[in-house]
Amino acid sequence: MHILVTNDDGPPSNQSSPYIHSFVKTLQAAGHTVSVVLPHQQRSWIGKAHFAAQVIKPTYFRPGTLHQDDGTTYAKPLQSDSMDDSEEWVLVNSTPATAAQLGLFHFFQDRGTVDLVVSGPNYGRNTTSLFSLSSGTIGGALEAAVCMKRAIALSYAFFSRNHDPDIIAGASRMSVKLVEHLMKNWDDGVDLYSINVPLVEGVEGKKVIYTYALQNYWKSGSSFTAVDAQDDEDPEEREAEIREQEGQTEGGVSKEKHARHKHRHFKWTPNFADVYQSVESSEPGNDGWAVKEGLVSVTPLKANFMHVQGLQGELKLSSSPAKCIQKPKIYVQIDYQDPYTHSIIVDTIPSILSSERYALIPSIDALPTPRFAFLQITSYESISFQHLIDNPTTSIANSYVIRKALIRKHYLAHTVHSYLVKHPDSELKEHVPLTIDFEVDYAEFLDEALIEAYELHESFSRNENRAASDREWWILKPAMSDRGQGIRLFSNEQELHDIFESWEEEQPDSDNEAGAIKSSETESGGFKDGIEAVSELKHQSPEIKMPGDGIITFQLRHFIAQLYIPPLLLPEYGNRKFHIRTYILCVGALRVYVYKEMLAL
C-alpha cells in the first residue's frame, strides 16, 4: 500500500514526538510505500484547523538514527538526480489537517495514489470526546476522510515517560498489523477509525476490541489558569508539562460602567481528572475503558457532527425581544408507587413550572433524545441510573445511585464521622449524638462485637452504683429498621445482653415460620441483613409473626447505639417521650434543604 503518514507532534524527538520514526520504519519493513508530511513543530490540541491566512513554507527532514535526535532539516529538497539516497520527509509550518491536504494533492505524485492516511502515532491517548474533539491527530485523519480517503488516527496511550524502545517497537508492530487488517476489512459505513494502543509490555498479545467514544465534559470549570503577565514561555516546555499531567493516572444602551480588565496571561491547564473520573464511572465498551483495561481500542467514526434527532422544521422567532429568550422544555416522568404521593407530586409540578416549560411523559422511552432535560420521580428500582450517569448535566432524579450512606443508620454514622474528621469545626459536631456502630449475628457474640466500643465500656463503668435516674442512657437502633421499630434503651452491659437474648427468644419456632425464616438466611444463620429477604418472607409466609414491636429478624445484624439526649421523659406532658420528624432534600455532594414545618410525635 501507499500510506501517507502525518501527526500533530512534529518530527522525531524523544521530548515531544518519540513514536513516529519507529512506526514509519515498521511500515516500511512490512513492504509498504510510506510518504511522510508532518507539522514542523508541536501542533497538539489544534483539532482540524487550517491557518487560512498563512502561506505554507515547507522544509525537508532527513531522519537519523532511531530513538536518537540526530535528524536534520533543510530548506530545499534533494534533487531528483542527486546521488544522495537519504529518506526525506516534508515538514510544513502549519497543522496536521494542512499536512494531510498537501500530502494528498501536492507531494509524492510520482509514488501513485495514496491508499490510506495514518495520522499518528500520537504522543498520548485520544480516548473520550474531551480528547478526541481537540486532537490534532484525529484532525489530520478527519481532513483525509473529508477528502474521501480512508483514514486512521493512531494514538499510543503511555503510562510512563520512560520510552522503552522494545515496548515502542511492539506497539508499532501491533499498529501495522491492525492497520493492514482494517484495510482488508474496511466497513462501508466508516469514514475513519480512531485506534488507541496502550504502551505496555506485551501489547501484541492484548485483545483488540471495537469501542465507542465515551461522551464526557469538563466539569471542573476553566481549562486555563490566569498568571501574571510576563515574557512568553517556551511552548514546547509548556506542552511537556501538560503531557506530564496526562500521563498520571489514572441591545439597548447600558448605564453600567464599562468593564476594566486586569492585564493577565493565561496558561492551558486542563484538569485531566475530569477525563479519568468519567472513564472510571463508565460502563465497559468505550474507548477510555478499553485503554484503562490495557486493551487495544478501535473506534469507528463518521466525519461529521451528528445531528440531534427531534429538532426539525421552521424556527419561528418572536417579534418581541423579551419573548425570544425561552428556556428549553423539561421532560418529566412521574411514576410513584403510592397513589397519594403520586397525586401530590403531579399537582405540585404546575406550581413550579409553567405548562410551556415541561411535558409529562410515561417513560424514558418517550424522551425525544437522551440529551433533553429530564426529571425522573419514581421508585428507586425504576430509575434509569445509566441515563443519569450518561447525561449528568441534563438529567436529575429523586434518588442517589448509591443511597445507603444516607438512609442506613450505620452507613450514615460512618458518613458523619468521616465528614467530621475532615471538618472538625463543623456545626454537625454539636448536633449529632455520640454514635457507636457494630455488627453481631448472635447474642453470644455480643462481647466480641463490642471489643472496640470504648465509649460504651467507659459509660458502663460510670453508671455502676448509680441510680437509674442518674445514669447515662443509650438508645439501641437496628440499622435497617424504620418507624421506631426495634428501638431499646440500656445503661449497662447486662441490659444490652438481655435485649439481644429477648430477640432470639422471639424468633418463630413453628415449622412453617422456621422454614420461612430459614429461606432468607445465609448458611451461617443468625440475625439477617438484606432487602430481598423481607419480600421473600412475606411471599412465602404472609402469616409470619414478627417480634413484639414489629421488628423483622432480617433487620437484626447491623446496629448503632447513640447516647440518649435527656430528659428521657417530659414531665409536663405526662412523662411522655416524643420525637421530631422532618423532611429534608439532599442535592449533589452534598447540599441539604430542611423543610420548616416539622411534626412532633
Side-chain angles (χ1 to χ4, degrees):
M1 286 188 292
H2 182 192
I3 300 175
L4 174 65
V5 175
T6 187
N7 71 0
D8 70 355
D9 293 323
S13 163
N14 286 324
Q15 176 68 22
S16 59
S17 185
Y19 312 138
I20 181 72
H21 197 182
S22 171
F23 177 66
V24 169
K25 289 181 72 68
T26 307
L27 282 173
Q28 291 169 335
H32 301 294
T33 300
V34 185
S35 302
V36 184
V37 184
L38 311 175
H40 76 302
Q41 66 179 59
Q42 264 291 341
R43 294 297 188 194
S44 295
W45 296 90
I46 203 166
K48 201 186 83 66
H50 296 284
F51 298 152
Q54 177 174 300
V55 175
I56 309 304
K57 300 177 181 179
T59 53
Y60 304 91
F61 177 80
R62 299 171 195 170
T65 310
L66 184 61
H67 303 304
Q68 301 294 325
D69 294 342
D70 57 357
T72 53
T73 303
Y74 299 86
K76 301 291 184 180
L78 288 168
Q79 297 301 310
S80 58
D81 58 352
S82 172
M83 299 298 293
D84 189 340
D85 61 352
S86 298
E87 181 181 3
E88 198 167 60
W89 300 355
V90 179
L91 305 183
V92 295
N93 58 332
S94 192
T95 67
T98 298
Q101 273 268 356
L102 297 181
L104 285 172
F105 301 113
H106 297 278
F107 289 99
F108 316 114
Q109 303 302 306
D110 57 330
R111 292 187 164 192
T113 302
V114 171
D115 301 299
L116 173 71
V117 176
V118 177
S119 184
N122 186 65
Y123 184 10
R125 71 198 68 196
N126 273 309
T127 57
T128 81
S129 60
L130 282 180
F131 284 153
S132 299
L133 288 173
S134 299
S135 167
T137 299
I138 294 180
L142 277 170
E143 186 67 30
V146 297
C147 292
M148 301 180 68
K149 288 292 183 179
R150 291 182 176 182
I152 292 174
L154 176 63
S155 305
Y156 289 175
F158 66 85
F159 301 90
S160 167
R161 289 174 64 85
N162 178 21
H163 307 306
D164 187 311
D166 292 334
I167 294 179
I168 294 174
S172 295
R173 290 191 296 269
M174 163 60 83
S175 300
V176 170
K177 184 177 180 180
L178 184 50
V179 164
E180 292 173 338
H181 174 85
L182 290 175
M183 278 297 289
K184 292 178 182 178
N185 300 276
W186 198 276
D187 189 280
D188 291 339
V190 175
D191 290 333
L192 69 154
Y193 290 97
S194 176
I195 298 175
N196 281 274
V197 178
L199 207 60
V200 295
E201 190 173 357
V203 70
E204 293 173 271
K206 298 293 184 180
K207 290 183 178 180
V208 181
I209 61 173
Y210 284 113
T211 60
Y212 64 91
L214 176 65
Q215 177 69 65
N216 54 2
Y217 303 88
W218 294 123
K219 294 182 178 180
S220 303
S222 175
S223 294
F224 289 86
T225 298
V227 297
D228 291 336
Q230 54 188 353
D231 293 338
D232 291 339
E233 64 180 339
D234 185 342
E236 291 196 2
E237 291 182 3
R238 182 66 196 133
E239 171 69 20
E241 291 178 15
I242 294 175
R243 290 198 184 280
E244 191 70 42
Q245 298 176 43
E246 182 183 337
Q248 298 169 355
T249 299
E250 318 230 83
V253 178
S254 172
K255 295 183 179 180
E256 296 181 8
K257 293 182 178 179
H258 293 294
R260 292 293 178 258
H261 306 290
K262 179 181 178 181
H263 182 53
R264 294 173 294 175
H265 291 177
F266 297 88
K267 284 187 175 181
W268 172 243
T269 55
N271 186 357
F272 292 125
D274 288 344
V275 179
Y276 302 136
Q277 289 169 5
S278 69
V279 171
E280 288 293 334
S281 63
S282 68
E283 294 292 326
N286 65 77
D287 51 359
W289 166 84
V291 169
K292 177 175 71 74
E293 296 298 317
L295 308 176
V296 178
S297 165
V298 178
T299 307
L301 299 173
K302 295 292 291 183
N304 64 9
F305 291 98
M306 294 303 295
H307 176 72
V308 175
Q309 299 299 318
L311 297 176
Q312 57 191 13
E314 181 184 358
L315 276 74
K316 294 185 177 181
L317 304 181
S318 170
S319 58
S320 172
K323 295 182 179 180
C324 285
I325 303 174
Q326 295 187 4
K327 295 182 179 179
K329 178 173 286 188
I330 299 172
Y331 290 85
V332 182
Q333 177 195 4
I334 302 174
D335 186 18
Y336 217 76
Q337 290 179 330
D338 177 60
Y340 174 75
T341 307
H342 180 95
S343 62
I344 291 177
I345 297 171
V346 172
D347 293 341
T348 301
I349 295 294
S351 66
I352 303 172
L353 299 171
S354 64
S355 59
E356 297 83 8
R357 289 273 290 111
Y358 78 96
L360 290 175
I361 58 176
S363 70
I364 192 173
D365 295 332
L367 193 64
T369 74
R371 296 299 307 279
F372 277 27
F374 182 42
L375 167 63
Q376 301 179 73
I377 303 179
T378 181
S379 61
Y380 179 81
E381 293 76 14
S382 300
I383 295 174
S384 176
F385 289 114
Q386 188 58 53
H387 181 86
L388 284 171
I389 294 170
D390 292 341
N391 302 276
T393 61
T394 59
S395 183
I396 57 176
N398 59 308
S399 177
Y400 287 93
V401 178
I402 301 174
R403 56 181 183 171
K404 290 182 178 180
L406 296 177
I407 68 172
R408 301 295 178 221
K409 298 180 182 67
H410 56 306
Y411 287 125
L412 180 59
H414 280 291
T415 301
V416 172
H417 174 74
S418 299
Y419 184 83
L420 289 177
V421 169
K422 298 176 183 177
H423 306 88
D425 298 327
S426 170
E427 292 184 355
L428 195 61
K429 184 176 183 180
E430 305 300 327
H431 292 80
V432 176
L434 177 61
T435 303
I436 311 297
D437 67 279
F438 57 95
E439 179 179 348
V440 60
D441 290 320
Y442 292 98
E444 61 187 280
F445 300 137
L446 182 60
D447 291 338
E448 182 179 343
L450 297 178
I451 288 177
E452 296 185 2
Y454 306 113
E455 295 90 346
L456 270 180
H457 292 296
E458 292 172 357
S459 178
F460 293 160
S461 298
R462 290 192 295 269
N463 284 341
E464 291 182 4
N465 303 318
R466 283 184 179 180
S469 59
D470 297 329
R471 297 176 191 167
E472 294 176 345
W473 285 85
W474 294 77
I475 183 169
L476 177 69
K477 302 177 183 179
M480 298 282 287
S481 67
D482 57 10
R483 294 175 294 179
Q485 296 176 352
I487 287 179
R488 298 289 189 273
L489 293 176
F490 66 94
S491 61
N492 56 49
E493 191 166 359
Q494 185 57 51
E495 291 171 351
L496 186 57
H497 272 280
D498 292 343
I499 292 171
F500 279 91
E501 289 173 356
S502 70
W503 275 330
E504 286 192 344
E505 292 172 359
E506 290 177 351
Q507 288 194 50
D509 53 9
S510 70
D511 292 341
N512 185 51
E513 292 170 347
I517 290 291
K518 185 175 181 180
S519 68
S520 68
E521 291 180 345
T522 61
E523 294 179 359
S524 61
F527 303 128
K528 294 297 156 253
D529 182 9
I531 295 296
E532 296 80 3
V534 67
S535 299
E536 186 179 347
L537 286 174
K538 291 180 178 179
H539 175 72
Q540 293 186 11
S541 186
E543 73 280 7
I544 186 170
K545 300 272 195 294
M546 292 184 290
D549 60 355
I551 185 70
I552 303 173
T553 307
F554 89 95
Q555 296 173 335
L556 303 179
R557 182 172 182 177
H558 296 277
F559 300 85
I560 65 168
Q562 288 184 321
L563 192 60
Y564 204 92
I565 302 173
L568 297 180
L569 303 175
L570 300 179
E572 59 269 35
Y573 292 102
N575 283 334
R576 293 179 180 272
K577 174 189 175 296
F578 84 103
H579 65 274
I580 296 176
R581 287 183 174 271
T582 183
Y583 288 103
I584 66 170
L585 172 66
C586 300
V587 179
L590 179 73
R591 184 183 299 274
V592 179
Y593 298 88
V594 180
Y595 189 56
K596 290 184 178 180
E597 296 184 14
M598 301 183 186
L599 180 64
L601 299 173

